[in-house]
Amino acid sequence: MLLIFGLQLVALVLACLMGYYNVAPMGAVLLLIVIVSALAWLAAQRHWRQVRALAQWVDSWHEGQTELQSLHPDHALQHADADVAALARSFQRFANRLAGYNERERNFTRDASHELRSPLTVIKMSTDMLADEAGLSDFGRRSLERIRRATREMEALVEAMLILARETDPGQGEQDFVVNDVLRDELVDAREMLHGHPIELQFEEPATFALHGSPRVFAVLCWQLIRHASQYTGQGTVLVTVLPGAVSVCATAGADHDPHLPGQQGFEYAIARRISERFAWALDLRVQGGNSYVAEIRFPQPLPVH
């Protein structure tokens, strides 16, 4: 490009000098200027065409694509100069590495889903059989309930991690579901998991709406916020409210409880934040009055309930 514009500048200077010293008539000088400018423009277009082809080639690729033969630089840029060809080959290597990473991630998700859930299923079956033992002591039954709660919490955590690991997988069981119905079912499991803790879960639904998405993802997100609110307040009441196009989780810490600032601490909140960002559900977390915890999830496209 520098050579093209340099030659154009020299040709224009010569044409101007020829006109200034009457070496050539003014019409010929103007015609020469037009011809030189047109040739420079055509030469520049030839080089920009290679850059445009590279841009189209990159734009046609999407993250997670594994079939890269159609994007091979030898096919898309057969007559490119050295710099453009080097960029194309570098991007093709990067795309291959990213496709390999996505493939390994899918394999890990599939294997982890089986390897992590299988021992949890065995633990659940074993606790159910132990619960039927007639001679089990009160201490043993209390320990058994703690194992059950820990197993359910572990299941919810594993499911949340697998949801985040399946970021490149489409669908995730998407369907139309009523938010209120999913929350009622989730709160039943949440009360069982919080059994033994000085936490009371309450549910209010002044509004009703539906969503198109994965009800299991929504349930896991709400459970993570409920668990984070329970750890924040220590004891008392956690209120889950369905608002128009939003769901809020509120809790108030007791007078003898020193709450931590939410958003800075808490693995549960980190998971909830990543899920909300993954599915474009706006999550707002704030503290009111120094000890009141409010987490609100807003959904951009709520659906009416027929």
Side-chain angles (χ1 to χ4, degrees):
M1 296 297 292
L2 181 62
L3 179 62
I4 291 172
F5 289 112
L7 292 175
Q8 180 190 18
L9 179 61
V10 171
L12 290 176
V13 170
L14 291 176
C16 292
L17 290 175
M18 291 171 62
Y20 181 77
Y21 290 108
N22 293 323
V23 176
M26 186 58 64
V29 171
L30 293 177
L31 180 61
L32 180 60
I33 292 175
V34 171
I35 293 175
V36 169
S37 300
L39 291 176
W41 181 81
L42 290 175
Q45 280 293 104
R46 180 177 179 275
H47 284 272
W48 278 112
R49 192 179 300 115
Q50 300 174 0
V51 178
R52 190 180 302 112
L54 177 61
Q56 293 174 352
W57 178 62
V58 173
D59 187 63
S60 64
W61 178 84
H62 59 84
E63 184 178 354
Q65 183 175 349
T66 57
E67 296 297 329
L68 299 173
Q69 288 79 7
S70 61
L71 297 179
H72 199 278
D74 294 338
H75 300 160
L77 302 167
Q78 295 180 356
H79 305 290
D81 61 17
D83 293 334
V84 176
L87 285 173
R89 285 192 294 270
S90 297
F91 183 83
Q92 203 266 346
R93 288 194 296 267
F94 168 76
N96 278 323
R97 291 178 58 190
L98 194 58
Y101 167 78
N102 290 334
E103 183 66 24
R104 290 191 299 272
E105 183 188 50
R106 282 190 292 269
N107 292 336
F108 170 79
T109 301
R110 183 181 62 250
D111 297 338
S113 176
H114 174 74
E115 296 298 332
L116 293 177
R117 288 176 177 174
S118 295
L120 290 175
T121 303
V122 172
I123 294 174
K124 288 175 62 178
M125 294 176 60
S126 300
T127 54
D128 291 340
M129 289 187 292
L130 279 175
D132 295 334
E133 289 288 336
L136 195 63
S137 64
D138 292 339
F139 177 76
R141 292 194 178 278
R142 288 194 299 270
S143 300
L144 189 61
E145 287 302 317
R146 285 196 294 270
I147 295 174
R148 279 179 165 175
R149 288 195 298 271
T151 303
R152 284 193 289 264
E153 290 184 6
M154 188 62 184
E155 280 185 318
L157 178 60
V158 167
E159 188 156 11
M161 299 301 293
L162 290 176
I163 286 171
L164 294 176
R166 288 194 298 263
E167 184 170 354
T168 57
D169 289 353
Q172 303 230 21
E174 292 187 356
Q175 60 184 5
D176 291 341
F177 65 93
V178 179
V179 165
N180 305 58
D181 297 341
V182 175
L183 278 175
R184 288 192 205 99
D185 295 337
E186 184 64 20
L187 288 178
V188 172
D189 296 335
R191 289 189 179 97
E192 292 183 2
M193 284 187 273
L194 292 175
H195 181 72
H197 298 274
I199 301 291
E200 180 185 1
L201 276 180
Q202 295 183 356
F203 182 46
E204 293 183 356
E205 38 187 333
T208 303
F209 67 94
L211 289 176
H212 179 77
S214 170
R216 192 57 209 150
V217 170
F218 171 77
V220 169
L221 172 60
C222 292
W223 162 241
Q224 297 300 325
L225 291 178
I226 291 171
R227 188 180 177 190
H228 190 227
S230 303
Q231 294 185 354
Y232 171 80
T233 189
Q235 60 181 2
T237 302
V238 174
L239 175 63
V240 180
T241 308
V242 180
L243 304 171
V247 173
S248 70
V249 179
C250 305
T252 302
D256 57 344
H257 182 66
D258 182 19
H260 299 289
L261 180 62
Q264 292 184 352
Q265 299 186 17
F267 185 61
E268 300 82 9
Y269 174 71
I271 293 177
R273 171 64 69 183
R274 289 188 60 189
I275 293 177
S276 67
E277 292 174 352
R278 164 71 177 85
F279 294 93
W281 296 337
L283 174 60
D284 179 36
L285 181 62
R286 59 188 182 274
V287 174
Q288 298 175 345
N291 65 342
S292 181
Y293 169 104
V294 180
E296 186 174 275
I297 320 165
R298 290 207 162 271
F299 304 94
Q301 295 178 336
L303 304 175
V305 178
H306 301 290

